[in-house]
Amino acid sequence: MTNADIVDLFEQTARLMELHNEDPFRIRTFSSAAFNIDKLQDDITQLPIAELTQIQGIGKSIASRIREIVDTGQLTDLNELLARTPEGVLAMFRIKGLGAKKIRVLWTELGIDNIRDLQMAAENGQVAKIKGFGAATQEKILASLEFLQSQAGKVRMDKARMFAQVLHDELKPVFPSVEISGQVRRQAQEVDTVQLLIETADVIGAMNQIDQLPMLTRNDSQSSPFVWRGQLSGTDVGIEIKLVPEGQLPRRLFIETAAEAHLEQIGPTGMTLLQAALTAPSPTDEAIYERAGLPYVVPEMREDQFAYQWASRHHPDELVTWDDLRGTLHNHSTWSDGKHTLAEMAGYAQSLGLSYFGIADHSQTASYAQGLRPERVAEQHREIEALNAGFGTGFRILKGIESDILGDGSLDYTPEVLASFDYVVASVHQTLTMTKEKATARLLKAIENPYTTILGHPTGRLLLAREGYPIDHKAIIDACAEHQVVIEINASPYRLDIDWRWIDYAQQQGVMLSINPDAHSTAGLLDMHYGVAVGRKGGLLKTMTFNALTLDEIVDYLAKRRQAKGF
């Protein structure tokens, strides 16, 4: 049990209290407790009630519930609410634009208690007739439902990696040769099947041993004598464990890792990559590509034919790696909505071997995230200068900001304040419902702003939760090339935005990309691993990776850019 688990349970309790129209004071109590605990840096799970009540925002009532959660893994208040709430109503909270109050209206006035009935009511026009909804809300509900249905049964890259590793660690003591393959090995940003391979001569015995794992539930209708299929407890993502004859694991690992479109490529020898994989005398990856007459492609890029086009111009050694990263430029601290102080964030970055840490807390319009007013910007800059004096010459904190791109495309401060930063990450956070034309025009104006250094998470998407607003990617990338604006690969596994399919076009136009973790805690800095993975998938070169520049190089770059822009 962690602080985050407690926060999740309190937030869910507050939502369901609002759904059931309970006492507003009690709702605020749980909501405020979740907010306050989320901001804490220290682990509170081991504290007794007396010490919990010494923490700001935690009274005796909340303290006792924290202890209940830690000691039992449950919360009585939440259990009682869940018992009164249909499962289908709970699922409605996943729909974009529907909060507790609107869900309550749908439930009590239309008798809708599941997503299927909600979709039918929206398609029949019934939702639009409800006071406070209207046609626009109805269309948003339908669009959100369509998106959620398309994402069903999938998990993000980070969860898929975790599931695969858990299964690998459980199977490894029983089977000496176990490999993670499929979508996880090629670092897919969304995964619908977590696949592993086991080398064994005893198929029946292996199946029986897999069935012994309590975390797994077999789907008999989808399984076969050589393939175990089912689910991992608590998830709906598919689990596939394939049994491979002895001596065939390297060959099968190659075949199962690559997507079908990649295996279908015909090489100069006249055979497809799949045919080469099945017939190559040596089962190594390099030998298989050589037999097909095709250039070697790293596992991350084995998605489609694009990889061969890229490989005809570049060598795999040119791809960016974690070790190539020299700094990090999009991060938050307790100055806005981060969990750790500026000193802690920078210190952790230094411990990772990085030579610069760019702080980019939220700007003033983001009041929901405690965005910085101009006077607080000045205070933060004074702290940065004091900290830099203690770091010496080998490490430096850079003064940045994540400036909201406002509705008209302008940035969130006066030119005088913007000029005080070393760099500016410009991002859209509010008014996300836009046409392609509106969204593109909004971003283009921000890119043309001389103070914009990096375009942050260009589409605003949240994987599996929110589709990004539509943009003209070519127009945006071309404008970044014209105005010397770097494009962010937001490395948060919740975003991974810009999509990897546009990375190579950006490079061809001369646009550098920055692998930014958007970290709100020290652990969040490690999300750059996910950014590196999708960067490599899209063919990102280390020479085109902005935060692969050394400290001296990036300081020089930013200084010259400021001079060229005239501020």
Side-chain angles (χ1 to χ4, degrees):
M1 193 62 66
T2 66
N3 287 12
D5 295 322
I6 296 168
V7 169
D8 287 343
L9 291 176
F10 280 171
E11 286 181 340
Q12 189 176 4
T13 301
R15 283 196 298 271
L16 292 186
M17 282 181 170
E18 188 174 7
L19 174 71
H20 289 281
N21 202 23
E22 297 206 353
D23 181 7
F25 176 77
R26 292 192 70 224
I27 296 172
R28 285 195 299 273
T29 298
F30 279 94
S31 182
S32 298
F35 177 82
N36 290 325
I37 294 169
D38 190 45
K39 300 291 286 184
L40 295 176
Q41 300 172 33
D42 297 328
D43 180 9
I44 64 171
T45 60
Q46 304 305 313
L47 299 180
I49 289 178
E51 292 185 35
L52 286 169
T53 56
Q54 301 303 309
I55 300 173
Q56 183 178 1
I58 297 180
K60 189 173 181 179
S61 173
I62 288 296
S64 66
R65 285 167 169 81
I66 291 172
R67 289 309 322 161
E68 179 189 0
I69 292 170
V70 174
D71 295 338
T72 70
Q74 299 185 57
L75 180 60
T76 301
D77 302 82
L78 179 57
N79 289 343
E80 292 175 351
L81 289 162
L82 288 170
R84 295 157 47 197
T85 311
E87 189 173 334
V89 173
L90 292 173
M92 289 161 64
F93 279 96
R94 297 178 58 202
I95 300 171
K96 180 184 175 184
L98 280 187
K101 292 180 180 178
K102 276 190 165 63
I103 293 174
R104 183 172 72 241
V105 171
L106 291 167
W107 184 20
T108 58
E109 294 193 15
L110 284 188
I112 294 172
D113 63 1
N114 62 78
I115 285 180
R116 186 175 183 277
D117 286 352
L118 173 60
Q119 183 168 357
M120 291 177 61
E123 289 173 345
N124 293 335
Q126 291 176 272
V127 173
K129 298 175 183 176
I130 302 174
K131 184 179 179 181
F133 282 74
T137 297
Q138 181 171 271
E139 287 304 311
K140 288 178 184 177
I141 290 172
L142 285 170
S144 181
L145 285 170
E146 182 180 356
F147 177 74
L148 289 175
Q149 288 163 2
S150 72
Q151 307 301 302
K154 297 179 182 179
V155 292
R156 300 186 311 268
M157 176 191 291
D158 58 327
K159 285 188 174 292
R161 278 192 190 182
M162 179 183 69
F163 295 159
Q165 195 60 52
V166 167
L167 289 172
H168 178 274
D169 293 347
E170 287 288 331
L171 294 167
K172 189 66 175 175
V174 184
F175 305 99
S177 298
V178 181
E179 294 286 352
I180 296 170
S181 56
Q183 296 171 333
V184 176
R185 185 167 184 244
R186 67 174 185 269
Q187 307 287 3
Q189 60 197 22
E190 298 170 350
V191 173
D192 57 33
T193 303
V194 173
Q195 185 190 76
L196 292 93
L197 306 182
I198 295 175
E199 188 175 69
T200 180
D202 181 7
V203 174
I204 295 176
M207 280 291 190
N208 289 334
Q209 287 182 301
I210 294 169
D211 283 332
Q212 298 304 311
L213 294 178
M215 65 183 68
L216 291 176
T217 303
R218 190 208 295 219
N219 185 317
D220 291 327
S221 64
Q222 293 182 5
S223 297
S224 68
F226 296 94
V227 183
W228 187 103
R229 292 189 177 93
Q231 269 72 43
L232 186 67
S233 297
T235 77
D236 59 357
V237 66
I239 303 295
E240 184 175 84
I241 303 173
K242 292 195 171 185
L243 306 182
V244 178
E246 290 185 334
Q248 291 298 308
L249 188 59
R251 194 185 307 274
R252 293 309 306 181
L253 180 61
F254 178 89
I255 293 171
E256 297 296 340
T257 293
E260 185 177 345
H262 190 74
L263 293 171
E264 289 173 347
Q265 179 68 25
I266 299 174
T269 60
M271 65 175 65
T272 66
L273 184 63
L274 177 58
Q275 290 171 329
L278 292 170
T279 60
S282 169
T284 66
D285 289 11
E286 290 80 3
I288 291 170
Y289 280 106
E290 184 177 353
R291 180 166 176 77
L294 294 167
Y296 173 78
V297 173
V298 297
E300 298 95 320
M301 297 184 74
R302 297 174 191 172
E303 292 284 357
D304 50 28
Q305 286 80 12
F306 157 73
Y308 302 114
Q309 302 164 16
W310 184 94
S312 68
R313 295 180 274 117
H314 301 287
H315 189 274
D317 288 345
E318 296 176 64
L319 288 168
V320 68
T321 68
W322 170 271
D323 291 337
D324 293 319
L325 304 184
R326 295 291 176 264
T328 173
L329 292 163
H330 181 174
N331 307 285
H332 300 271
S333 72
T334 51
W335 278 94
S336 65
D337 63 343
K339 289 188 178 181
H340 293 103
T341 66
L342 179 54
E344 289 169 329
M345 294 290 288
Y348 189 72
Q350 187 181 35
S351 74
L352 292 176
L354 302 177
S355 57
Y356 51 92
F357 172 82
I359 187 65
D361 274 312
H362 287 285
S363 62
Q364 58 186 346
T365 294
S367 55
Y368 59 90
Q370 295 79 57
L372 275 63
R373 302 290 299 174
E375 60 273 14
R376 295 188 68 228
V377 169
E379 291 174 21
Q380 186 184 70
H381 287 180
R382 287 192 290 271
E383 182 183 357
I384 291 171
E385 289 159 8
L387 289 170
N388 279 338
F391 281 123
T393 58
F395 184 85
R396 180 170 169 181
I397 301 174
L398 299 176
K399 300 172 183 175
I401 195 74
E402 184 179 21
S403 172
D404 267 30
I405 298 174
L406 305 181
D408 64 354
S410 59
L411 298 188
D412 195 14
Y413 290 112
T414 64
E416 291 75 22
V417 175
L418 290 169
S420 70
F421 299 106
D422 294 322
Y423 68 97
V424 172
V425 179
S427 308
V428 171
H429 290 110
Q430 301 179 64
T431 316
L432 302 178
T433 303
M434 297 178 283
T435 63
K436 184 175 182 178
E437 293 72 23
K438 169 65 177 175
T440 301
R442 186 174 175 183
L443 293 187
L444 287 176
K445 184 173 178 181
I447 291 165
E448 293 165 3
N449 192 306
Y451 296 100
T452 298
T453 318
I454 301 172
L455 177 63
H457 44 76
T459 73
R461 74 181 184 185
L462 292 175
L463 295 172
L464 305 183
R466 182 178 74 205
E467 196 170 13
Y469 40 79
I471 62 172
D472 183 333
H473 279 84
K474 284 192 174 182
I476 295 300
I477 291 169
D478 291 348
C480 286
E482 179 183 354
H483 297 282
Q484 292 183 300
V485 170
V486 176
I487 295 178
E488 171 178 275
I489 299 176
N490 190 290
S492 166
Y494 289 85
R495 291 187 184 273
L496 299 178
D497 183 16
I498 191 171
D499 191 275
W500 64 267
R501 295 166 184 82
W502 288 100
I503 289 173
D504 192 55
Y505 179 77
Q507 292 182 126
Q508 290 184 46
Q509 303 311 115
V511 177
M512 297 190 79
L513 296 110
S514 186
I515 297 173
N516 293 342
D518 198 353
H520 287 68
S521 66
T522 53
L525 292 171
L526 298 175
D527 285 349
M528 287 194 292
H529 281 292
Y530 303 119
V532 168
V534 297
R536 288 171 63 85
K537 182 180 287 292
L540 179 60
L541 309 174
K542 62 187 70 174
T543 55
M544 293 300 290
T545 304
F546 190 54
N547 56 318
L549 296 177
T550 65
L551 174 58
D552 288 342
E553 288 171 340
I554 204 158
V555 168
D556 183 59
Y557 175 97
L558 293 173
K560 287 180 177 177
R561 189 182 188 283
R562 289 168 62 87
Q563 185 177 18
K565 297 290 185 179
F567 61 91

